[in-house]
């Protein structure tokens, strides 16, 4: 085989983009030499300039789109390139879903060592959104100054802390704009300084806004470079600020979070409520998928002619209410969250007789879903505050068959395994559900799961690469993958959630 051509920095090339990389960048080849091109869309023919070259590949800058891809769409946001939060915004939503479906599939095959035919037999169509914008219930805006000294809210331009002003992110709710503009006007009028991290001076670092999609309650939390004040006054003319915010429909909670550290961590540990409730609440509805429609979508041969099946879910009438504080972890896309949790519940196959472990349970959202259909649920989570929330949430929903433990899953589970009676339900659960962070499950956790021999395991994952690795361990340990389903929680971005059902052989 002939050696492929090597290209150098500043070379200008024409390339057709035929793949999408993990971060949403376009990938194309010229004479066997691979080019990674940010902002190029699959199907484009583009002119690029090489920025950084290696032996067999290079990173190139998009100079000009010569022939636009049929999958290119007009971006809704003027800042999509500089922001970097919506890596896929110029790609049609249908193609975004296809990219995510393939990403999961490829990771399971390449990193999990599963046969392509097998994965195709267990993978169902990814669950998408009808309206893939305005879905986020949480927004965190840095506050700063522009070149002219005007106070602005926006987002950091890629790899920097320069703020690009934008109060209208299309992933967030429309209300955010009015809230931010009210805050900025107040700061200008009353000479309240934004925090300047280069000198460690100024007051307002970030504004966090959370919205309950069902409750319509709004929470604003200011992250301040300040320490606790005895008189409870954090701003000059604080009443004016509170009055202006209170006038916004739905406002129920205003607080400050104190953070004097020179750090990238946004929230401080201490939260002080200035007005209203310290928390907001929201409702999560248990849903059920239309099985006939799913079946039709899986078996239908002609997939090209019609709109792809996005999942058709309807509420069962059952719901759970949750309390959310400024510091609580809570899924950012509540519409897709209901579908994801409902799938996890369905995959758990409960009929009221099962004992279930829910590992990495956060504030107990999945645990309480499971508790509606299980005999007993045990939740494990590393953050003590989240476990306090989980217990309070159980109470709020009159759920008495869920118990929660603080600790690392890889420590708590082995401890219970070692100390419980050999025939106890805790040691012999029927189902184990896991929803770990991106790094996946610790090996000690997986090993104990195998020792406990549950009938079923449900794996909810936000990173299909570590999912693939962990599924290999579980399958080598006597389990079989039965169903795999992507769920698009992060439309316009590159991440995707996956839920997997496993059964013991
Ligand atoms: N199931 C929850 C939370 C999922 S996010 C939900 O859907 O809301 C993952 C959670 O795992 C986080 O709450 C994080 O704090 C927790 N976590 C991280 N490492 C952990 C570990 N080693 N053991 C237990 N929990 C852990």
């Amino acid at each position: 085989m002939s050696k492929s051509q090597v290209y150098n920095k500043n070379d200008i090339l024409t390339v057709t983009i035929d793949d999408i990389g993990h971060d949403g960048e376009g990938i194309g080849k010229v004479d066997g030499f691979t080019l990674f091109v940010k902002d190029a869309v699959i199907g484009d023919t583009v002119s690029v300039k090489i920025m950084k070259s290696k032996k067999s590949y290079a990173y190139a800058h998009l100079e000009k789109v010569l022939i636009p891809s049929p999958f290119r769409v007009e971006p809704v946001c003027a800042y999509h390139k500089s922001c970097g939060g919506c890596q896929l915004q110029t790609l049609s939503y249908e193609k975004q879903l296809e990219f995510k479906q393939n990403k999961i599939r490829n990771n399971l095959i390449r990193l999990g060592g599963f046969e392509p035919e097998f994965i195709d037999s267990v993978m169902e169509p990814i669950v998408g959104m009808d309206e893939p914008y305005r879905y986020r219930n949480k927004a965190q805006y840095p506050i700063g100054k522009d070149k002219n000294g005007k106070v602005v809210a926006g987002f950091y331009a890629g790899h920097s802390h320069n703020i690009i002003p934008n109060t209208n992110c299309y992933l967030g709710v429309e209300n955010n704009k009015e809230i931010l503009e009210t805050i900025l006007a107040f700061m200008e009028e009353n000479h309240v300084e934004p925090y300047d991290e280069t000198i460690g001076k100024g007051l307002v670092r970030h504004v966090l806004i959370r919205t309950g999609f069902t409750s319509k309650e709004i929470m604003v939390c200011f992250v301040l470079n300040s320490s606790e004040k005895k008189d409870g006054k954090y701003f000059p003319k604080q009443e004016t600020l509170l009055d202006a915010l209170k006038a916004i429909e739905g406002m129920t909670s205003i607080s400050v979070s104190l953070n004097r550290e020179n750090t990238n961590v946004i929230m401080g540990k201490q939260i002080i409520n200035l007005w209203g409730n310290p928390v907001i609440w929201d409702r999560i509805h248990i849903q059920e998928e239309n099985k006939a429609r799913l079946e039709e979508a899986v078996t239908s041969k002609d997939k090209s002619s019609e709109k792809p099946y996005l999942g058709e879910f309807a509420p069962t009438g059952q719901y759970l209410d949750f309390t959310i504080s400024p510091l609580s972890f809570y899924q950012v896309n509540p519409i897709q969250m209901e579908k994801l949790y409902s799938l996890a519940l369905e995959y758990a196959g409960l009929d009221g007789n099962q004992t279930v472990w829910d590992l990495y349970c956060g504030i107990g959202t999945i645990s309480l879903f499971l508790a509606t259909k299980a005999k007993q649920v045990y939740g494990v989570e590393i953050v003590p505050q989240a476990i306090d929330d989980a217990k309070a949430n159980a109470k709020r929903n009159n759920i008495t068959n869920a118990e929660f433990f603080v600790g690392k899953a890889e420590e708590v589970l082995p401890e219970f395994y070692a100390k419980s009676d050999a025939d106890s339900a805790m040691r012999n659960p029927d189902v184990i559900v896991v929803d770990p962070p991106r790094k996946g499950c610790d090996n000690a956790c997986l090993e104990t799961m195998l020792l406990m021999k549950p009938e079923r395991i449900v794996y909810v994952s936000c990173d299909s690469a570590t999912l693939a690795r962990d599924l290999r361990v579980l399958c080598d340990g006597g389990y079989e993958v039965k169903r795999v389903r992507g769920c698009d929680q992060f439309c316009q971005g590159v991440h995707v959630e996956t839920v997997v059902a496993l059964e013991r052989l």
Side-chain angles (χ1 to χ4, degrees), residues 21-24 84-88 93 96-97 99-101 103-104 126 135-136 438 461-464 486-498:
H22 275 280
D23 295 322
C86 288
Q87 303 93 335
L88 301 178
Y93 188 55
Q96 290 186 21
L97 291 176
F99 159 70
K100 292 180 184 187
Q101 181 87 354
K103 180 170 173 168
I104 299 168
I126 183 167
Y135 59 78
R136 281 184 67 103
R438 302 201 62 177
S461 160
C462 52
D463 183 337
S464 52
C487 189
D488 191 20
Q489 307 286 101
F490 310 106
C491 319
Q492 318 304 331
V494 290
H495 294 300
V496 58
E497 293 267 329
T498 313

Side-chain angles (χ1 to χ4, degrees), residues 356-410:
V356 187
W357 280 95
D358 178 27
L359 308 177
Y360 313 87
C361 70
I363 61 167
T365 34
I366 295 178
S367 318
L368 299 186
F369 254 60
L370 297 165
T372 62
K373 290 220 169 112
K375 186 162 142 203
Q376 178 68 39
V377 177
Y378 299 109
V380 181
E381 159 64 44
I382 197 169
V383 176
Q385 173 69 38
I387 287 292
D388 291 343
D389 289 347
K391 287 177 180 166
N393 285 324
K395 224 182 226 158
R396 181 175 184 136
N397 292 285
N398 297 317
I399 287 177
T400 52
N401 59 335
E403 206 178 324
F404 295 96
F405 306 103
V406 181
K408 291 184 180 169
E410 60 272 25

